[in-house]
Amino acid sequence: MTLPTAIGVLSRLAAERALQHGVDVDPLLKRAGLPKMLMTKPNIRVSVRSQILFLNMVAETLGDTLLGFHIAQDFDIRELGLYYYVIASSERLSDAIAREARYSFIIDEGLQISYQKTHTFDIDFEYIGVARHLDQHEMEFWVTCTLRKCRLFTNRELVPTYAGFVHHHQGDFSEMERHFGCSLNFGATIDRISFDIQAADLPLVTEDPYLNKFLVDDYEAALARWHFRRNPLRIRVENAITPRLPHGTVNITNIARDLGMSPRTLSRRLADESVTFSTICDELRFDLAGRYLQNNDLSISQIAWLLGYTEASSFVHAFQRWAGKSPTDARRQIRSPIQSREQRSGDHV
């Protein structure tokens, strides 16, 4: 299966941020599987998964739990190239978001943006071919970037009526809430930012109908040549499980319904891929447990809840089965981010 790719602008921006703090990024690029040439060729396409892993490593190295948000705040949005201009030149905000949603595949094959106008103007973000639980910073980058564009294009300090992220945030996010102007919902069922319905009809101060027509024609031609990739079933199942875990509602019946099929059909299709629903649940929980254990602010009981266990003892028994050790023992073996950064800083002296 071919993995989804994206233009390497975000990877380069993260690398430049690390370099500004005196970090040697070459080892990080290598570990993430990213080419060094992205520093000089920002539009080179890179694996979305590798980009996500690289952002995670840079965030840990810098001790920046808001890395994606900070990059989205600071960079010149025009670095997104023609994608920026086809959005900015639209007539109204709803037109701009429609362009953003339709052409997001070209800039990032792993990102699907959709929108709907009901009683609010909702913009949703979903990963295609990428496991959602791996990421925090790329999604925070894209949602923050969309908010920036909405404010810039309308010349109004728009305040969302809602902003939510599927992942659980590790660290203080009050700075991000101040920027958004609303409470942020982490551990949500979907990645979404919403505005008052009236915002959809706001005119853009950056409107340019001639440029827009030229770019839309160009992008439509590009879409006609694009080979869209299907979302692998296992990743679809993982991404459906992730937001349900803390609510204790993960079972094959609910997940099958979320995916628009019967439990029997889901079981059969997973069997065709030589995997079972319970195996996916176990491996996803183990992966998430390892990530949560790195956060010393989370107790074992809190981690158990995040993984959908009603009692901490159930999580402890499961983790012992997965790892051959208790969660407490595993946590002791994990170097804290502070220790790691101190060591790395010492290496540069």
Side-chain angles (χ1 to χ4, degrees):
M1 180 190 70
T2 305
L3 295 176
T5 64
I7 61 171
V9 171
L10 180 52
S11 295
R12 178 180 57 78
L13 291 169
E16 289 175 349
R17 200 173 190 90
L19 287 169
Q20 290 167 6
H21 287 79
V23 175
D24 180 5
V25 299
D26 286 352
L28 300 182
L29 290 169
K30 184 175 181 180
R31 282 171 56 198
L34 292 175
K36 290 183 183 179
M37 68 178 66
L38 73 81
M39 301 302 295
T40 54
K41 296 182 178 180
N43 287 324
I44 187 174
R45 298 197 73 86
V46 300
S47 160
V48 175
R49 178 186 171 90
S50 292
Q51 180 162 268
I52 287 171
L53 295 178
F54 181 66
L55 289 171
N56 290 344
M57 287 189 284
V58 171
E60 180 185 356
T61 302
L62 299 181
D64 186 355
T65 60
L66 293 172
L67 177 67
F69 164 69
H70 286 147
I71 293 175
Q73 271 191 306
D74 298 340
F75 88 116
D76 188 329
I77 305 183
R78 292 173 297 182
E79 292 196 56
L80 294 176
L82 294 180
Y83 182 65
Y84 163 85
Y85 290 102
V86 75
I87 299 170
S89 58
S90 302
E91 181 181 3
R92 298 187 179 277
L93 186 59
S94 58
D95 300 320
I97 298 303
R99 304 278 189 268
E100 181 174 29
R102 183 161 177 78
Y103 305 134
S104 62
F105 290 103
I106 294 177
I107 196 168
D108 189 328
E109 294 173 334
L111 182 68
Q112 178 173 289
I113 300 175
S114 59
Y115 67 97
Q116 49 273 335
K117 294 188 289 183
T118 52
H119 60 285
T120 55
F121 183 33
D122 303 325
I123 307 167
D124 295 342
F125 303 78
E126 181 183 358
Y127 280 148
I128 301 297
V130 180
R132 177 63 181 87
H133 72 277
L134 297 174
D135 179 51
Q136 169 192 328
H137 303 288
E138 180 162 307
M139 186 59 74
E140 290 181 10
F141 169 85
W142 282 118
V143 176
T144 304
C145 195
T146 293
L147 175 59
R148 267 195 74 191
K149 291 196 290 274
C150 290
R151 288 172 172 173
L152 176 65
F153 299 160
T154 62
N155 197 29
R156 299 194 183 198
E157 193 63 20
L158 294 177
V159 175
T161 58
Y162 171 85
F165 299 87
V166 169
H167 61 269
H168 292 266
H169 203 286
Q170 299 180 15
D172 181 11
F173 53 86
S174 57
E175 178 190 355
M176 192 171 173
E177 284 193 323
R178 288 193 298 272
H179 179 79
F180 274 65
C182 67
S183 297
L184 300 180
N185 181 21
F186 290 98
T189 57
I190 192 169
D191 296 293
R192 168 178 290 176
I193 185 169
S194 302
F195 299 94
D196 286 328
I197 188 63
Q198 292 84 357
D201 292 326
L202 288 174
L204 302 196
V205 298
T206 52
E207 178 194 2
D208 185 331
Y210 298 100
L211 177 63
N212 190 255
K213 183 181 185 309
F214 172 79
L215 291 175
V216 165
D217 289 346
D218 193 50
Y219 267 92
E220 287 299 320
L223 278 183
R225 299 189 300 269
W226 209 259
H227 298 291
F228 292 98
R229 295 175 173 85
R230 294 181 59 193
N231 203 1
L233 181 60
R234 174 167 185 146
I235 291 179
R236 290 178 61 203
V237 171
E238 288 179 345
N239 290 351
I241 289 173
T242 299
R244 282 187 173 274
L245 277 175
H247 306 287
T249 58
V250 174
N251 57 59
I252 194 166
T253 300
N254 286 339
I255 299 303
R257 183 171 59 247
D258 291 345
L259 298 178
M261 62 183 78
S262 70
R264 179 176 295 182
T265 298
L266 177 56
S267 294
R268 185 182 70 250
R269 290 183 57 184
L270 289 174
D272 291 341
E273 297 185 7
S274 302
V275 69
T276 65
F277 182 76
S278 61
T279 297
I280 293 175
C281 285
D282 265 10
E283 292 179 355
L284 178 59
R285 278 174 161 149
F286 182 40
D287 191 359
L288 286 170
R291 296 171 184 276
Y292 293 149
L293 286 169
Q294 296 179 46
N295 181 0
N296 292 322
D297 293 333
L298 289 175
S299 69
I300 300 300
S301 295
Q302 288 173 315
I303 293 174
W305 174 78
L306 288 171
L307 296 176
Y309 293 99
T310 55
E311 297 181 359
S313 59
S314 299
F315 165 56
V316 171
H317 291 318
F319 194 89
Q320 185 78 39
R321 172 168 55 85
W322 298 330
K325 65 186 76 171
S326 71
T328 303
D329 289 338
R331 171 170 268 170
R332 289 195 191 103
Q333 295 174 13
I334 298 173
R335 292 186 304 171
S336 72
I338 294 177
Q339 290 173 323
S340 299
R341 290 195 298 275
E342 285 176 347
Q343 254 190 343
R344 279 187 280 266
S345 297
D347 293 339
H348 292 297
V349 175

